[in-house]
Amino acid sequence: MENSAPARACGIDFGTSNSTVGWHRPGVDTLIALEDGKITLPSVVFFNLEERRPVYGRLALHEYLEGYEGRLMRSLKSLLGSKLIKHDTSVLGTAMPFKDLLGLFIGELKKRAEHNAGRAFDQVVLGRPVHFVDDDQAADQEAEDTLAEVARKIGFTDVSFQYEPIAAAFDYESTLNREELVLIVDIGGGTSDFSLVRLSPQRRDIAERHDDILATGGVHIGGTDFDKQLSLQGVMPLFGYGSRMKSQAFMPTSLHMNLATWHTINSVYSQKSQLALASMRYDIQDTDGIDRLFKLIEQRAGHWLAMEVEETKIQLTEAQSRHVPLDRIQPGLSVELSRALFESAIDPLLARVRGSVSQLLGTAGVGVEQVDTVFFTGGSSGIPALRQSVAAMLPNAQHVEGNIFGSIGSGLAIEARKRYG
């Protein structure tokens, strides 16, 4: 394959938590810097009310945390395959279709990549999870079609897709000097995706690799689901989760569920939610938690709290516990979150991940002892319990860590070069 010229097309890894753009050039790092010299752009939009403009990435999070008035939107990818994608949301006082919101962010990725590459990109290979939607092929196809429609609307003329774990496999393959049977474990913000792929230096330049992909699978569990369980088990009890009504029934949980889920936090601030909460207060045995919940809503501190939970999850990768001060809600209020609590909270999710890997191996007709390598990628692949959980299933495999935020974007760039030259 001719390698002397830069590729015509780019690869975009639009992630639930972070996004990257890859462009294959000889002798140059594949990933394009997108913000302050960094290869990732957090998948975040903040609509700054004072300046009436959208802000993206780290700057968006910074302005929100600095206390600027506005609307923070995160986990945008989770909209794909959800019923919300066909609806509008209120932004700076006007209705904006959720599809247009996706277009704003992906358009910003395109603009920044083109600026730093010094050229336009008309063709793109977009990464996609193995399943946008579990067990619903029609909804899954609709999610891919929506993403393609958004990409064309922002100016891409040729749009194609590759499974994210397959892209990560191609990135890993570029480092190999012998053949390996590799299980790609890609744990992103919204999905866990798996591929069993035969990789070797001799196969790198073959355009059609269908026969080397032994099986693909996945489950709709990712970093935001781990955050949610940590929030519900460790933090939300302080805000009334699990409280008893005077009837001895448990307090309804929908508000806590919404607060623990990135793309539904704003719904808690609605008048309807607050009225429901106010009427519930009369029927609750201990009002301390519900009163803190009112303070949290009054301060619109849901995203702040979700960021604290996410930061705790990240720190628990190395630490055994993290102390989280909550003085913003109530002076002297805090919570100690331990790795043991976190692992207990996510254990049912890890069981589903293991089930998906077992199913994948069964589909491929491959025994656990035949897998040479487990390649971990994706922002949530560093969680110790998750790694141990998967690794214990494959006793003979070596464990390799890819660039947890960059492997997919690099692999998509390799694929874009193959497809478009």
Side-chain angles (χ1 to χ4, degrees), residues 278-353:
S279 67
M280 210 185 296
R281 191 181 184 280
Y282 296 104
D283 296 320
I284 208 155
Q285 289 182 17
D286 180 354
T287 57
D288 285 355
I290 206 168
D291 287 342
R292 288 187 196 118
L293 188 53
F294 273 119
K295 285 181 186 169
L296 185 148
I297 291 169
E298 188 183 308
Q299 291 195 25
R300 294 185 164 241
H303 289 95
W304 165 79
L305 188 62
M307 282 184 215
E308 286 294 332
V309 170
E310 181 185 36
E311 180 57 30
T312 300
K313 174 194 69 179
I314 293 165
Q315 291 202 17
L316 291 178
T317 299
E318 303 289 339
Q320 290 300 320
S321 67
R322 181 179 185 233
H323 183 75
V324 184
L326 300 168
D327 301 85
R328 175 171 173 173
I329 308 298
Q330 181 183 312
L333 185 67
S334 69
V335 65
E336 192 78 21
L337 297 174
S338 69
R339 187 191 286 187
L341 178 135
F342 176 50
E343 291 182 352
S344 167
I346 66 172
D347 193 54
L349 300 181
L350 297 185
R352 287 177 60 198
V353 167

Side-chain angles (χ1 to χ4, degrees), residues 29 66 117 119 126 164 267 300 376:
D29 187 53
E66 285 292 300
R119 50 152 298 161
L126 284 162
E164 288 155 358
S267 67
R300 294 185 164 241
F376 290 100

Side-chain angles (χ1 to χ4, degrees), residues 30 99 148-149 154 161 164-165 212 237 239 311 379 381 388:
T30 308
K99 278 185 191 176
E149 179 192 328
I154 61 167
F161 290 89
E164 288 155 358
D212 291 333
F239 298 92
E311 180 57 30
S381 65
Q388 291 153 13

Side-chain angles (χ1 to χ4, degrees), residues 57-68:
R58 292 169 190 81
L59 184 60
L61 290 168
H62 173 75
E63 290 197 4
Y64 171 77
L65 290 172
E66 285 292 300
Y68 285 86

Side-chain angles (χ1 to χ4, degrees), residues 181-195:
L181 182 59
V182 183
L183 174 68
I184 305 292
V185 177
D186 171 22
I187 315 291
T191 57
S192 295
D193 289 311
F194 314 101
S195 291

Side-chain angles (χ1 to χ4, degrees), residues 29-41:
D29 187 53
T30 308
L31 296 165
I32 299 173
L34 296 174
E35 185 180 25
D36 299 333
K38 296 181 174 69
I39 57 161
T40 56
L41 183 68

Side-chain angles (χ1 to χ4, degrees), residues 23-325:
W23 177 36
H24 200 275
R25 296 153 287 170
V28 183
D29 187 53
T30 308
L31 296 165
I32 299 173
L34 296 174
E35 185 180 25
D36 299 333
K38 296 181 174 69
I39 57 161
T40 56
L41 183 68
S43 304
V44 184
V45 184
F46 178 62
F47 293 94
N48 186 311
L49 192 61
E50 294 165 42
E51 299 176 25
R52 303 201 66 76
R53 62 183 168 85
V55 195
Y56 304 90
R58 292 169 190 81
L59 184 60
L61 290 168
H62 173 75
E63 290 197 4
Y64 171 77
L65 290 172
E66 285 292 300
Y68 285 86
E69 279 291 308
R71 173 99 188 262
L72 186 78
M73 307 288 281
R74 258 192 99 168
S75 294
L76 305 174
K77 189 178 181 178
S78 304
L79 294 165
L80 292 164
S82 81
K83 293 182 174 66
L84 283 175
I85 196 66
K86 293 179 178 171
H87 297 282
D88 297 351
T89 186
S90 176
V91 170
L92 303 180
T94 58
M96 175 185 282
F98 277 114
K99 278 185 191 176
D100 290 359
L101 180 63
L102 290 183
L104 267 183
F105 183 78
I106 299 170
E108 184 69 14
L109 283 176
K110 183 177 191 285
K111 187 172 88 177
R112 291 185 185 207
E114 289 178 337
H115 174 78
N116 288 340
R119 50 152 298 161
F121 292 113
D122 300 321
Q123 299 158 312
V124 66
V125 178
L126 284 162
R128 58 150 293 168
V130 175
H131 302 298
F132 279 111
V133 184
D134 292 341
D135 306 319
D136 187 340
Q137 216 169 345
D140 188 80
Q141 187 58 51
E142 193 176 341
E144 182 184 290
D145 293 345
T146 299
L147 188 51
E149 179 192 328
V150 167
R152 290 192 182 94
K153 195 170 177 182
I154 61 167
F156 286 112
T157 52
D158 293 307
V159 178
S160 59
F161 290 89
Q162 178 57 276
Y163 290 138
E164 288 155 358
I166 299 295
F170 292 154
D171 181 47
Y172 176 55
E173 187 176 50
S174 68
T175 69
L176 293 183
N177 54 23
R178 66 182 179 88
E179 181 172 305
E180 292 181 11
L181 182 59
V182 183
L183 174 68
I184 305 292
V185 177
D186 171 22
I187 315 291
T191 57
S192 295
D193 289 311
F194 314 101
S195 291
L196 194 63
V197 194
R198 200 174 299 285
L199 302 175
S200 75
Q202 294 74 30
R203 287 176 158 85
R204 262 177 226 158
D205 294 339
I206 300 170
E208 180 47 68
R209 297 293 299 276
H210 191 267
D211 291 345
D212 291 333
I213 301 164
L214 305 191
T216 55
V219 64
H220 215 263
I221 291 170
T224 54
D225 300 288
F226 299 137
D227 294 346
K228 180 177 183 175
Q229 293 309 313
L230 179 57
S231 180
L232 289 173
Q233 301 304 318
V235 179
M236 288 302 152
L238 291 170
F239 298 92
Y241 181 68
S243 296
R244 294 274 187 180
M245 310 298 284
K246 288 172 182 170
S247 67
Q248 296 304 317
F250 285 108
M251 176 183 174
T253 60
S254 61
L255 284 169
H256 300 107
M257 291 289 180
N258 286 340
L259 269 177
T261 308
W262 275 106
H263 60 278
T264 55
I265 290 171
N266 280 298
S267 67
V268 177
Y269 306 144
S270 73
Q271 193 176 11
K272 184 181 171 187
S273 289
Q274 292 185 57
L275 287 171
L277 195 61
S279 67
M280 210 185 296
R281 191 181 184 280
Y282 296 104
D283 296 320
I284 208 155
Q285 289 182 17
D286 180 354
T287 57
D288 285 355
I290 206 168
D291 287 342
R292 288 187 196 118
L293 188 53
F294 273 119
K295 285 181 186 169
L296 185 148
I297 291 169
E298 188 183 308
Q299 291 195 25
R300 294 185 164 241
H303 289 95
W304 165 79
L305 188 62
M307 282 184 215
E308 286 294 332
V309 170
E310 181 185 36
E311 180 57 30
T312 300
K313 174 194 69 179
I314 293 165
Q315 291 202 17
L316 291 178
T317 299
E318 303 289 339
Q320 290 300 320
S321 67
R322 181 179 185 233
H323 183 75
V324 184

